[in-house]
Amino acid sequence: MKKIAAAGLIIAMLGSVLAGCSSGGKSGEDAAKGASPGGAAESATYPLKTDEKLSYWGEINGNLVGIKATHDEIPFFQKWQEKTGVPLKFTAPPTGQVKEAFNVMLASGDLPDMIEYNFIGDFPGGPEKAIKDGYILKLNDLIDKYAPNLKKYLQEHPDIDKMVKTDSGSYYAFPFIRGDEYLRVFQGPIIRKDWLDELGLPVPETIDEWTATLRAFKEKKGAAAPFSVVSKPRFFNESGNGAFIGAFGVNRGFYQEDGKVKFGPAEPGFKEYLKLFHDWYKEGLIDKNIATADTKAVDGNMASGATGATIGNAGGGIGKWQPLVEANDPKAVLVAAPYPVLNKGDKPKFGQLNQAYASEGTVAVTTAAKDPALAVRMLDYGYSEEGHMFFNFGEEGVSYNMENGYPKFTDLLMKNPDKLAPAQAISLYARSSYNGPFVQDKRYAEQFFALQTQRDAVEVWKNTDAAKYNLPSITPTPDESSEYATIMNDINTLVDEMTIKIILGSEPVDQYDSYVAKMKSLGLDRAIEIQTAALQRYNSR
């Protein structure tokens, strides 16, 4: 009963808030029809003059866990309030329990003014459902009137504008945008270049070259786990199997090809990938504990020289492992290898490539907001020229200095006196090393990747056709959402089970065909229908 009463109160508040915001300008319905907000927005001079304190709910970035306990202790959040002129009361969900804390908050009916949350990935039914259920505001009118900086950016970047709204044209949050392609690629195969040089081997490009290389690592370098990768929480999770599956013309999830949506694990190429990894595992070329390897295990394998090849990020992979391997062997060098192909000279079909719009770190204004216009004006700061520099680099003279027109991080961040890693120190003074309501600047990454091998890695990994085949940020309708989630929960569980059993040899590779039949019986065709409809709606935005 308490939940029902709370929901009723929220919906009532939604009505009064919208009534208060919609006088003048276009109605929400009219604004939704346009490609982007129109008319002239009210310009703001920062800091704003207000006596009002707004409430803000959001997770503290993982880089700062164990370093700072609350937002109030983090210099960035202190300065953000000072620069915008808007005092904030912060609430942070426990680390690793964001979804659970979010659901408890919604059930309580006690909403803050602003919520930082992934409404596409983590809210059942997506942002349109969150608006319909009366939790967050549709922002079209508010952006139109009070967010001139975001409005201008979206008008100048229609491709981004298409990404940050729903199928029906609703703006629902202040977005995190990767402002350069350089920021969208950061992960791929990593290999011991010193071992390759010692063995007279090239950096592997084809599957056959990878097989020969891993054999040489095992036989001539004594590597107990020539190839190892983090497999938890899901077997071969985000940083794993995608790198090698692509060689067989498929990927680990949904993608588009020739106008059709396909699901990689149900396509014939996936069987070829399973056969390869089954053979590698049987031959001892893959970590024998591959099914259970976590971050700590892979770190240990890399440091000890048990592993010579893995999949990882330029920052959290090469940047983390290079000092570990060097400590054990001063000549050790980690470099990027290209995404594997079957035939020499082919361009990899798939590879890690994130969208320019990232649904993490976006900030919505709730229906409980005391002053939605003030919240919007405050959030718009991140898209102003001054706000862009602050979000990406922090405060001039403290965390960065301008040198020949280039914002250069100070030693406070890059050689921190408290021995904090650059990612941790940057997170104290800026938000460029993770996300938030702003446009990320390439110049942050150029410095964050301190090693030349890291900067080279991005260039190596971005040479794929992933942009052609990847799906954009599509969403099922609220009605389709629960059906799709039920189908894919079952199918993803089945894919994990199939992958583990066949690679480890507890089932023969030919068992793959029966798994595909089981996927069909669980509703795969319906899931593809839902994804196809969502893609068509996206393309029509």
Side-chain angles (χ1 to χ4, degrees):
M1 289 303 293
K2 183 180 175 185
K3 289 181 189 177
I4 292 167
L9 176 63
I10 291 165
I11 291 164
M13 291 171 79
L14 172 62
S16 62
V17 168
L18 287 177
C21 303
S22 60
S23 57
K26 294 184 286 186
S27 70
E29 294 304 315
D30 290 339
K33 290 173 186 171
S36 59
E42 175 191 305
S43 292
T45 302
Y46 298 98
L48 302 169
K49 302 281 190 291
T50 181
D51 297 324
E52 197 148 11
K53 189 170 194 172
L54 300 182
S55 51
Y56 187 102
W57 187 97
E59 185 181 20
I60 291 177
N61 180 252
N63 290 331
L64 297 179
V65 172
I67 298 169
K68 298 292 182 185
T70 67
H71 286 88
D72 293 313
E73 297 173 17
I74 299 168
F76 171 85
F77 291 101
Q78 296 165 2
K79 278 286 171 189
W80 190 24
Q81 297 171 78
E82 187 181 307
K83 287 180 177 293
T84 61
V86 181
L88 297 173
K89 178 190 175 187
F90 292 101
T91 303
T95 303
Q97 298 176 44
V98 179
K99 280 191 197 178
E100 295 83 350
F102 177 80
N103 290 332
V104 168
M105 176 179 65
L106 294 191
S108 75
D110 185 14
L111 298 178
D113 296 295
M114 293 169 278
I115 295 176
E116 183 178 319
Y117 195 66
N118 182 353
F119 283 92
I120 285 185
D122 294 334
F123 189 89
E128 201 68 68
K129 182 83 161 53
I131 294 171
K132 184 180 175 184
D133 288 353
Y135 294 124
I136 63 174
L137 291 176
K138 179 175 177 174
L139 296 173
N140 295 51
D141 283 348
L142 289 162
I143 290 173
D144 206 34
K145 291 161 75 173
Y146 304 115
N149 298 303
L150 175 60
K151 178 175 169 177
K152 180 172 183 281
Y153 184 88
L154 295 178
Q155 287 174 334
E156 291 173 353
H157 299 84
D159 54 330
I160 305 288
D161 180 67
K162 186 175 179 177
M163 296 178 191
V164 303
K165 57 192 177 188
T166 67
D167 292 330
S168 65
S170 300
Y171 296 95
Y172 62 91
F174 280 74
F176 171 56
I177 299 160
R178 298 182 177 94
D180 192 280
E181 188 185 353
Y182 186 88
L183 297 162
R184 298 170 58 196
V185 175
F186 46 79
Q187 186 184 89
I190 297 170
I191 198 160
R192 285 283 296 265
K193 179 72 164 59
D194 55 309
W195 285 9
L196 294 175
D197 292 346
E198 185 185 326
L199 297 166
L201 295 169
V203 173
E205 295 175 20
T206 67
I207 292 295
D208 286 346
E209 286 176 349
W210 269 97
T211 302
T213 298
L214 295 178
R215 275 185 191 140
F217 284 2
K218 179 190 175 195
E219 292 164 8
K220 296 176 180 173
K221 293 303 300 177
F227 176 83
S228 185
V229 72
V230 175
S231 298
K232 290 294 187 179
R234 283 189 64 199
F235 183 60
F236 277 158
N237 70 0
E238 285 301 304
S239 63
N241 58 358
F244 287 88
I245 290 174
F248 302 98
V250 300
N251 75 4
R252 60 179 173 258
F254 289 97
Y255 61 96
Q256 56 181 326
E257 187 171 23
D258 301 327
K260 293 183 177 178
V261 173
K262 297 183 175 181
F263 184 62
E267 295 292 319
F270 199 84
K271 183 177 183 179
E272 297 305 309
Y273 151 74
L274 290 175
K275 184 177 187 309
L276 174 75
F277 267 58
H278 165 83
D279 292 348
W280 279 2
Y281 185 83
K282 189 175 179 182
E283 199 178 327
L285 305 184
I286 297 179
D287 183 1
K288 66 179 185 299
N289 299 313
I290 194 74
T292 57
D294 58 12
T295 303
K296 190 176 177 183
V298 175
D299 289 352
N301 281 344
M302 293 296 292
S304 68
T307 289
T310 185
I311 311 295
N313 292 354
I318 294 175
K320 175 172 68 171
W321 293 320
Q322 182 61 42
L324 295 180
V325 295
E326 260 182 53
N328 189 43
D329 181 349
K331 292 182 289 186
V333 179
L334 293 172
V335 299
Y339 278 87
V341 292
L342 288 181
N343 303 305
K344 196 89 163 174
D346 285 357
K347 188 173 184 179
K349 184 173 177 178
F350 295 103
Q352 180 270 320
L353 174 68
N354 280 25
Q355 299 290 343
Y357 166 55
S359 53
E360 306 89 353
T362 58
V363 183
V365 180
T366 75
T367 53
K370 297 179 290 293
D371 189 342
L374 179 63
V376 165
R377 290 166 75 199
M378 184 227 150
L379 291 168
D380 192 48
Y381 173 75
Y383 308 90
S384 68
E385 285 185 31
E386 181 189 321
H388 178 83
M389 296 303 292
F390 173 64
F391 267 82
N392 280 285
F393 305 104
E395 189 176 7
E396 188 172 3
V398 177
S399 53
Y400 79 97
N401 291 312
M402 292 301 288
E403 296 185 8
N404 299 318
Y406 191 96
K408 189 165 184 198
F409 287 132
T410 62
D411 285 351
L412 178 64
L413 274 58
M414 304 311 289
K415 298 175 184 174
N416 183 264
D418 296 325
K419 306 295 185 207
L420 296 178
Q424 296 171 313
I426 292 171
S427 299
L428 281 176
Y429 295 93
R431 289 198 66 164
S432 47
S433 64
Y434 53 115
N435 51 43
F438 71 105
V439 180
Q440 194 180 34
D441 193 309
K442 172 185 180 181
R443 294 173 295 180
Y444 128 78
E446 290 171 345
Q447 298 173 77
F448 178 57
F449 296 153
L451 303 172
Q452 186 61 44
T453 48
Q454 292 174 294
R455 295 190 287 273
D456 292 344
V458 174
E459 298 300 325
V460 170
W461 294 332
K462 77 178 190 182
N463 181 35
T464 72
D465 278 332
K468 190 191 299 185
Y469 299 102
N470 285 357
L471 290 174
S473 297
I474 59 177
T475 49
T477 65
D479 290 339
E480 292 166 341
S481 183
S482 58
E483 180 186 8
Y484 177 79
T486 301
I487 292 170
M488 290 314 300
N489 282 342
D490 290 342
I491 287 177
N492 285 332
T493 301
L494 184 70
V495 169
D496 279 355
E497 177 191 327
M498 165 183 82
T499 306
I500 293 169
K501 287 184 174 178
I502 292 177
I503 289 175
L504 300 190
S506 58
E507 285 192 359
V509 176
D510 288 342
Q511 202 54 34
Y512 167 82
D513 299 320
S514 69
Y515 277 104
V516 174
K518 186 77 187 294
M519 286 182 222
K520 299 267 191 188
S521 73
L522 290 172
L524 177 60
D525 290 342
R526 175 59 183 149
I528 290 173
E529 269 179 28
I530 291 171
Q531 290 286 80
T532 301
L535 179 61
Q536 289 168 349
R537 290 193 301 270
Y538 179 88
N539 290 335
S540 300
R541 287 182 187 177

